[in-house]
Structure formats: structure tokens, C-alpha cells
Amino acid sequence: METDTSISIRDGGPDDIPAILGMFDSAVAWLVAQERTGQWGSTPWSENPRAVAMVERYVATGSPFIAEVDGVPAGTLTLTDSPGSYIDAVDEPERYVHLLASDRRFKGHGVGSALLAHAAEVTRRAGVSLLRVDCYAGDDRKLVAYYESNGFTATEAFVVGEDQWPGQVLARRV
């Protein structure tokens, strides 16, 4: 897939939280329409207090980025120095991808791939060689395959919570 040349990526911040939640609402609606509720359920993130708090926390403590297509917020990704509490830390410096999502109106524009390439470049410029991410690994593992198509390699699988949410950690050397 070619990246749309009109994608620009900028630093995000607290003012972007409504747009970020809107991107996740769009993704949830798209998944629900496909009867794929295992990843994020069926409630829009903007109506889920836990999801809102998580977005607020990552935006405040991480490095959020916003991808825009012709000036319209189309995708988001936040980098931090460590994974969530449900993933084991590694014994070297790393950057960790959180909250990658795109507004489904921009599906096929290469927004997610552009954000992942930007995250790799930011990580490399920081003198860090390891970029990791985790994702939903249920259903047909399409999301795992997506990250693999963007240069990541699956490392360890995990499960979270009482509902045994299936996840996959992936890593990329940059």
C-alpha cells in the first residue's frame, strides 16, 4: 500500500483528546459493523470512562502524534518508554507504541503505516534501537499481520483479564 503524500504528522497534546477519542469511536463502530467486538467491545470510547482515562493518561505522560490528511486529523499514536503493566519490561531502553488508531474515513490512505514509520524514526533519533507494540490477537489475527507488514516481528503472546483477552507483543529494531 502506498502512503498518501498529503499525510503530515505533528505532535499532539491535551487539546487533541476529543479527536483521538473520535478516532477510536470510529474504529469501534467499524469493528461492531463487522461483528468483531472482541477487540474493543461495542461501546464508543468517548462513552467509556476507563478508555477516556487511559487516553488522558497516555497523552499526558507519553508523546502523542496526530496524522493529518489535508489538515484533518486522521490517525493517532502515542509513544512511551515502557509497555502497559500487563507486559513484561525488557532489559534495554525501548519505545512503546500505544493508542494507534485511524479514523475509518481514511482507511486505505496509509495513515497507520505513516504513524508507525514516524514512531520508528523518532525512536531511532532518540538513540533507542527497540520499538515494541502489543495488539489484539484474536479472531483472524489480522492486526498482528498488519504490524508484521510494517516491519514488526511477533515475540510473546499474552492474555489479559477475566475475559482472557488475547494479545500479541511485537518488536522492531530501528
Side-chain angles (χ1 to χ4, degrees):
M1 175 188 316
E2 290 188 26
T3 301
D4 186 341
T5 56
S6 64
I7 296 173
S8 60
I9 298 175
R10 63 172 174 81
D11 291 345
D15 291 345
D16 294 304
I17 290 173
I20 292 169
L21 289 169
M23 291 173 208
F24 278 95
D25 287 353
S26 169
V28 167
W30 179 74
L31 288 167
V32 167
Q34 297 181 51
E35 298 180 1
R36 296 169 63 117
T37 57
Q39 182 174 346
W40 289 331
S42 58
T43 302
W45 276 37
S46 61
E47 298 174 16
N48 178 337
R50 276 185 60 213
V52 171
M54 181 177 61
V55 169
E56 290 172 343
R57 182 178 71 250
Y58 278 123
V59 167
T61 61
S63 299
F65 298 101
I66 303 293
E68 295 179 337
V69 174
D70 298 328
V72 178
T76 186
L77 172 151
T78 298
L79 281 180
T80 68
D81 294 338
S82 62
S85 59
Y86 52 90
I87 300 294
D88 291 334
V90 292
D91 60 358
E92 67 177 289
E94 71 175 318
R95 294 294 182 270
Y96 211 91
V97 173
H98 301 274
L99 302 178
L100 174 63
S102 62
D103 185 312
R104 299 315 297 171
R105 293 177 298 169
F106 298 96
K107 183 181 186 318
H109 283 75
V111 172
S113 295
L115 281 161
L116 289 169
H118 183 76
E121 181 58 28
V122 167
T123 299
R124 186 176 18 259
R125 278 186 285 167
V128 176
S129 64
L130 179 61
L131 180 63
R132 291 198 305 160
V133 64
D134 64 77
C135 69
Y136 179 66
D139 299 326
D140 53 15
R141 293 181 60 89
K142 274 188 178 179
L143 194 51
V144 173
Y146 173 77
Y147 283 109
E148 290 174 334
S149 74
N150 278 278
F152 288 83
T153 301
T155 56
E156 65 269 6
F158 64 96
V159 293
V160 177
E162 295 172 10
D163 58 356
Q164 297 293 291
W165 188 89
Q168 178 69 56
V169 178
L170 298 102
R172 177 178 172 187
R173 290 288 171 184
V174 297

